[in-house]
PDB file of all heavy atoms in Angstrom:
ATOM      1  N   LYS A  90      -6.283  -9.285  -6.713  1.00 99.00           N
ATOM      2  CA  LYS A  90      -5.124  -9.368  -5.813  1.00 99.00           C
ATOM      3  C   LYS A  90      -4.990  -8.074  -5.034  1.00 99.00           C
ATOM      4  O   LYS A  90      -5.008  -7.036  -5.590  1.00 99.00           O
ATOM      5  CB  LYS A  90      -3.850  -9.660  -6.654  1.00 99.00           C
ATOM      6  CG  LYS A  90      -2.545  -9.742  -5.768  1.00 99.00           C
ATOM      7  CD  LYS A  90      -2.407 -11.147  -5.202  1.00 99.00           C
ATOM      8  CE  LYS A  90      -1.433 -11.206  -4.091  1.00 99.00           C
ATOM      9  NZ  LYS A  90      -2.089 -11.043  -2.726  1.00 99.00           N
ATOM     10  N   GLY A  91      -4.862  -8.259  -3.740  1.00 98.00           N
ATOM     11  CA  GLY A  91      -4.663  -7.043  -2.883  1.00 98.00           C
ATOM     12  C   GLY A  91      -4.955  -7.443  -1.441  1.00 98.00           C
ATOM     13  O   GLY A  91      -5.486  -8.480  -1.118  1.00 98.00           O
ATOM     14  N   GLY A  92      -4.502  -6.533  -0.552  1.00 98.00           N
ATOM     15  CA  GLY A  92      -4.494  -6.800   0.860  1.00 98.00           C
ATOM     16  C   GLY A  92      -5.857  -6.748   1.585  1.00 98.00           C
ATOM     17  O   GLY A  92      -6.887  -6.400   1.030  1.00 98.00           O
ATOM     18  N   GLN A 111      -4.983  -0.247  -6.421  1.00 99.00           N
ATOM     19  CA  GLN A 111      -4.338  -1.561  -6.570  1.00 99.00           C
ATOM     20  C   GLN A 111      -4.347  -2.018  -8.014  1.00 99.00           C
ATOM     21  O   GLN A 111      -3.412  -2.683  -8.447  1.00 99.00           O
ATOM     22  CB  GLN A 111      -5.077  -2.579  -5.704  1.00 99.00           C
ATOM     23  CG  GLN A 111      -4.278  -3.883  -5.426  1.00 99.00           C
ATOM     24  CD  GLN A 111      -3.270  -3.642  -4.279  1.00 99.00           C
ATOM     25  OE1 GLN A 111      -3.610  -3.064  -3.260  1.00 99.00           O
ATOM     26  NE2 GLN A 111      -2.085  -4.110  -4.466  1.00 99.00           N
ATOM     27  N   LYS A 114      -1.473  -0.224  -9.703  1.00 99.00           N
ATOM     28  CA  LYS A 114      -0.197  -0.692  -9.063  1.00 99.00           C
ATOM     29  C   LYS A 114       0.169  -2.069  -9.558  1.00 99.00           C
ATOM     30  O   LYS A 114       1.294  -2.328  -9.953  1.00 99.00           O
ATOM     31  CB  LYS A 114      -0.379  -0.703  -7.557  1.00 99.00           C
ATOM     32  CG  LYS A 114       0.824  -1.032  -6.753  1.00 99.00           C
ATOM     33  CD  LYS A 114       0.452  -1.477  -5.289  1.00 99.00           C
ATOM     34  CE  LYS A 114      -0.253  -0.357  -4.526  1.00 99.00           C
ATOM     35  NZ  LYS A 114      -0.372  -0.690  -3.087  1.00 99.00           N
ATOM     36  N   ASN A 115      -0.838  -2.995  -9.541  1.00 99.00           N
ATOM     37  CA  ASN A 115      -0.526  -4.385  -9.937  1.00 99.00           C
ATOM     38  C   ASN A 115      -0.166  -4.417 -11.359  1.00 99.00           C
ATOM     39  O   ASN A 115       0.720  -5.192 -11.780  1.00 99.00           O
ATOM     40  CB  ASN A 115      -1.779  -5.299  -9.636  1.00 99.00           C
ATOM     41  CG  ASN A 115      -1.990  -5.372  -8.164  1.00 99.00           C
ATOM     42  OD1 ASN A 115      -1.321  -4.772  -7.362  1.00 99.00           O
ATOM     43  ND2 ASN A 115      -2.966  -6.188  -7.730  1.00 99.00           N
ATOM     44  N   LYS A 126      -9.296  -5.410  -2.863  1.00 99.00           N
ATOM     45  CA  LYS A 126      -8.942  -5.031  -1.463  1.00 99.00           C
ATOM     46  C   LYS A 126     -10.081  -5.427  -0.586  1.00 99.00           C
ATOM     47  O   LYS A 126     -11.203  -5.543  -0.988  1.00 99.00           O
ATOM     48  CB  LYS A 126      -8.748  -3.528  -1.425  1.00 99.00           C
ATOM     49  CG  LYS A 126      -7.943  -3.111  -0.191  1.00 99.00           C
ATOM     50  CD  LYS A 126      -6.466  -3.078  -0.418  1.00 99.00           C
ATOM     51  CE  LYS A 126      -5.640  -2.832   0.751  1.00 99.00           C
ATOM     52  NZ  LYS A 126      -4.201  -2.675   0.422  1.00 99.00           N
ATOM     53  N   ILE A 162      -6.855 -13.391  -4.420  1.00 99.00           N
ATOM     54  CA  ILE A 162      -5.828 -13.807  -3.541  1.00 99.00           C
ATOM     55  C   ILE A 162      -5.490 -12.638  -2.551  1.00 99.00           C
ATOM     56  O   ILE A 162      -4.700 -11.730  -2.866  1.00 99.00           O
ATOM     57  CB  ILE A 162      -4.534 -14.226  -4.278  1.00 99.00           C
ATOM     58  CG1 ILE A 162      -4.795 -15.321  -5.311  1.00 99.00           C
ATOM     59  CG2 ILE A 162      -3.415 -14.726  -3.310  1.00 99.00           C
ATOM     60  CD1 ILE A 162      -5.121 -14.825  -6.687  1.00 99.00           C
ATOM     61  N   PRO A 163      -6.102 -12.649  -1.370  1.00 99.00           N
ATOM     62  CA  PRO A 163      -5.820 -11.577  -0.416  1.00 99.00           C
ATOM     63  C   PRO A 163      -4.418 -11.683   0.193  1.00 99.00           C
ATOM     64  O   PRO A 163      -3.713 -12.648   0.103  1.00 99.00           O
ATOM     65  CB  PRO A 163      -6.874 -11.759   0.602  1.00 99.00           C
ATOM     66  CG  PRO A 163      -7.948 -12.611   0.045  1.00 99.00           C
ATOM     67  CD  PRO A 163      -7.198 -13.509  -0.899  1.00 99.00           C
ATOM     68  N   ALA A 164      -4.008 -10.620   0.932  1.00 98.00           N
ATOM     69  CA  ALA A 164      -2.753 -10.555   1.620  1.00 98.00           C
ATOM     70  C   ALA A 164      -2.913  -9.586   2.798  1.00 98.00           C
ATOM     71  O   ALA A 164      -4.025  -9.348   3.243  1.00 98.00           O
ATOM     72  CB  ALA A 164      -1.659 -10.051   0.684  1.00 98.00           C
ATOM     73  N   GLY A 165      -1.780  -9.075   3.383  1.00 98.00           N
ATOM     74  CA  GLY A 165      -1.862  -8.187   4.470  1.00 98.00           C
ATOM     75  C   GLY A 165      -1.991  -6.742   4.099  1.00 98.00           C
ATOM     76  O   GLY A 165      -1.808  -6.378   2.929  1.00 98.00           O
ATOM     77  N   ASP A 166      -2.311  -5.908   5.042  1.00 98.00           N
ATOM     78  CA  ASP A 166      -2.237  -4.418   4.965  1.00 98.00           C
ATOM     79  C   ASP A 166      -2.234  -3.978   6.411  1.00 98.00           C
ATOM     80  O   ASP A 166      -1.854  -4.749   7.313  1.00 98.00           O
ATOM     81  CB  ASP A 166      -3.432  -3.902   4.116  1.00 98.00           C
ATOM     82  CG  ASP A 166      -3.278  -2.423   3.741  1.00 98.00           C
ATOM     83  OD1 ASP A 166      -2.453  -2.179   2.865  1.00 98.00           O
ATOM     84  OD2 ASP A 166      -3.861  -1.548   4.365  1.00 98.00           O
ATOM     85  N   THR A 193      -1.329 -14.508   0.309  1.00 99.00           N
ATOM     86  CA  THR A 193       0.184 -14.297   0.281  1.00 99.00           C
ATOM     87  C   THR A 193       0.553 -13.564   1.536  1.00 99.00           C
ATOM     88  O   THR A 193      -0.274 -13.034   2.263  1.00 99.00           O
ATOM     89  CB  THR A 193       0.642 -13.521  -0.946  1.00 99.00           C
ATOM     90  OG1 THR A 193       0.001 -12.229  -1.021  1.00 99.00           O
ATOM     91  CG2 THR A 193       0.352 -14.270  -2.256  1.00 99.00           C
ATOM     92  N   ARG A 205       9.066 -11.506   1.274  1.00 98.00           N
ATOM     93  CA  ARG A 205       7.734 -10.807   1.240  1.00 98.00           C
ATOM     94  C   ARG A 205       7.522  -9.863   2.403  1.00 98.00           C
ATOM     95  O   ARG A 205       7.051  -8.727   2.196  1.00 98.00           O
ATOM     96  CB  ARG A 205       6.558 -11.854   1.224  1.00 98.00           C
ATOM     97  CG  ARG A 205       5.174 -11.197   1.254  1.00 98.00           C
ATOM     98  CD  ARG A 205       4.940 -10.260   0.102  1.00 98.00           C
ATOM     99  NE  ARG A 205       3.708  -9.467   0.169  1.00 98.00           N
ATOM    100  CZ  ARG A 205       3.605  -8.244   0.703  1.00 98.00           C
ATOM    101  NH1 ARG A 205       4.720  -7.657   1.234  1.00 98.00           N
ATOM    102  NH2 ARG A 205       2.529  -7.558   0.665  1.00 98.00           N
ATOM    103  N   ASN A 346      -0.235   3.966   1.047  1.00 98.00           N
ATOM    104  CA  ASN A 346      -1.185   4.250  -0.033  1.00 98.00           C
ATOM    105  C   ASN A 346      -1.780   5.583   0.149  1.00 98.00           C
ATOM    106  O   ASN A 346      -2.415   5.875   1.190  1.00 98.00           O
ATOM    107  CB  ASN A 346      -2.268   3.152  -0.099  1.00 98.00           C
ATOM    108  CG  ASN A 346      -1.738   1.871  -0.691  1.00 98.00           C
ATOM    109  OD1 ASN A 346      -1.131   1.837  -1.762  1.00 98.00           O
ATOM    110  ND2 ASN A 346      -1.908   0.755   0.051  1.00 98.00           N
ATOM    111  N   ASN A 371       5.253   1.864  -3.783  1.00 98.00           N
ATOM    112  CA  ASN A 371       5.027   0.783  -2.789  1.00 98.00           C
ATOM    113  C   ASN A 371       4.596  -0.506  -3.482  1.00 98.00           C
ATOM    114  O   ASN A 371       4.177  -1.445  -2.827  1.00 98.00           O
ATOM    115  CB  ASN A 371       4.121   1.158  -1.648  1.00 98.00           C
ATOM    116  CG  ASN A 371       2.717   1.357  -2.047  1.00 98.00           C
ATOM    117  OD1 ASN A 371       2.170   0.546  -2.869  1.00 98.00           O
ATOM    118  ND2 ASN A 371       2.023   2.333  -1.482  1.00 98.00           N
ATOM    119  N   GLY A 374       5.624  -4.669  -2.544  1.00 98.00           N
ATOM    120  CA  GLY A 374       4.965  -5.641  -1.684  1.00 98.00           C
ATOM    121  C   GLY A 374       4.102  -6.609  -2.484  1.00 98.00           C
ATOM    122  O   GLY A 374       4.258  -7.827  -2.409  1.00 98.00           O
ATOM    123  N   VAL A 375       3.237  -6.012  -3.323  1.00 99.00           N
ATOM    124  CA  VAL A 375       2.329  -6.866  -4.097  1.00 99.00           C
ATOM    125  C   VAL A 375       3.158  -7.600  -5.162  1.00 99.00           C
ATOM    126  O   VAL A 375       2.809  -8.718  -5.571  1.00 99.00           O
ATOM    127  CB  VAL A 375       1.166  -6.079  -4.679  1.00 99.00           C
ATOM    128  CG1 VAL A 375       1.576  -5.160  -5.834  1.00 99.00           C
ATOM    129  CG2 VAL A 375       0.056  -7.036  -5.091  1.00 99.00           C
ATOM    130  N   SER A 378       4.319 -10.551  -3.594  1.00 99.00           N
ATOM    131  CA  SER A 378       3.166 -11.455  -3.452  1.00 99.00           C
ATOM    132  C   SER A 378       2.955 -12.220  -4.729  1.00 99.00           C
ATOM    133  O   SER A 378       2.654 -13.380  -4.729  1.00 99.00           O
ATOM    134  CB  SER A 378       1.902 -10.610  -3.140  1.00 99.00           C
ATOM    135  OG  SER A 378       1.804 -10.277  -1.785  1.00 99.00           O
TER     136      SER A 378
HETATM  137  O1  LIG B   2      -1.433  -2.099  -0.728  1.00 86.61           O
HETATM  138  C1  LIG B   2      -0.809  -3.137  -1.092  1.00 86.61           C
HETATM  139  O2  LIG B   2      -0.250  -3.214  -2.172  1.00 86.61           O
HETATM  140  C2  LIG B   2      -0.789  -4.285  -0.154  1.00 86.61           C
HETATM  141  N1  LIG B   2      -1.284  -4.112   0.965  1.00 86.61           N
HETATM  142  C3  LIG B   2      -0.172  -5.524  -0.543  1.00 86.61           C
HETATM  143  C4  LIG B   2      -1.142  -6.405  -1.360  1.00 86.61           C
HETATM  144  C5  LIG B   2      -0.680  -7.810  -1.693  1.00 86.61           C
HETATM  145  O3  LIG B   2      -1.472  -8.523  -2.281  1.00 86.61           O
HETATM  146  O4  LIG B   2       0.441  -8.194  -1.362  1.00 86.61           O
END
Side-chain angles (χ1 to χ4, degrees):
K90 178 84 196 91
Q111 200 80 45
K114 186 197 300 191
N115 292 4
K126 198 88 187 187
I162 304 92
D166 193 75
T193 59
R205 176 61 188 91
N346 284 308
N371 71 39
V375 74
S378 279

